[in-house]
Amino acid sequence: SKEAVLSFDFDLTRGSGGVYVSGPRNGLDIYVDGTYRRAVTPAPVRPLPVGPHLVEVRDRETGEVVASRRIVVKDGPSNVEVDFTTDR
C-alpha cells in the first residue's frame, strides 16, 4: 500500500548512509551505538545518520562484545565495510 511507502521518513538535510558488517564469525548480533539493529553478521545496516558511530558485534548467548570499531558513515548509497574477520 502507498501508506507503507510514505511512512519512511528520511531527513535528507542530515544525510544518511550505512555499514556492511562481517566477521569474525556468522550469526553475531550487530549493535550500532549500543542499540541492537535486528541484524546478524554478515549484513548491511541502513540507514544510519552521517557521522561517527560505534559498531559492535556481540555473542547472543553471553552478551560478550566480540569485536568493535569506530567508523564514520558518509552520505550516499554505499556502505562502509566493517570487516572483523581480520581482527584476531
Side-chain angles (χ1 to χ4, degrees), residues 58-76:
R58 301 187 191 179
D59 185 305
R60 184 171 296 179
E61 299 296 311
T62 65
E64 174 199 3
V65 175
V66 178
S68 67
R69 185 176 300 164
R70 293 197 173 276
I71 54 98
V72 176
V73 169
K74 294 177 173 46
D75 186 24

Side-chain angles (χ1 to χ4, degrees), residues 16-20 45-48 71 73-74 76-81:
S16 70
V19 295
Y20 185 88
V45 177
R46 300 183 62 90
L48 292 172
I71 54 98
V73 169
K74 294 177 173 46
S78 61
N79 293 329
V80 177
E81 293 280 341

Side-chain angles (χ1 to χ4, degrees), residues 6-87:
L6 295 175
S7 70
F8 289 103
D9 183 22
F10 294 110
D11 181 7
L12 297 175
T13 56
R14 247 327 276 287
S16 70
V19 295
Y20 185 88
V21 185
S22 56
R25 60 183 187 267
N26 290 352
L28 294 172
D29 288 342
I30 299 171
Y31 285 74
V32 178
D33 302 326
T35 301
Y36 177 49
R37 294 303 305 250
R38 301 191 183 281
V40 296
T41 56
V45 177
R46 300 183 62 90
L48 292 172
V50 168
H53 296 281
L54 175 64
V55 176
E56 296 173 317
V57 289
R58 301 187 191 179
D59 185 305
R60 184 171 296 179
E61 299 296 311
T62 65
E64 174 199 3
V65 175
V66 178
S68 67
R69 185 176 300 164
R70 293 197 173 276
I71 54 98
V72 176
V73 169
K74 294 177 173 46
D75 186 24
S78 61
N79 293 329
V80 177
E81 293 280 341
V82 183
D83 184 358
F84 291 120
T85 56
T86 55
D87 295 8

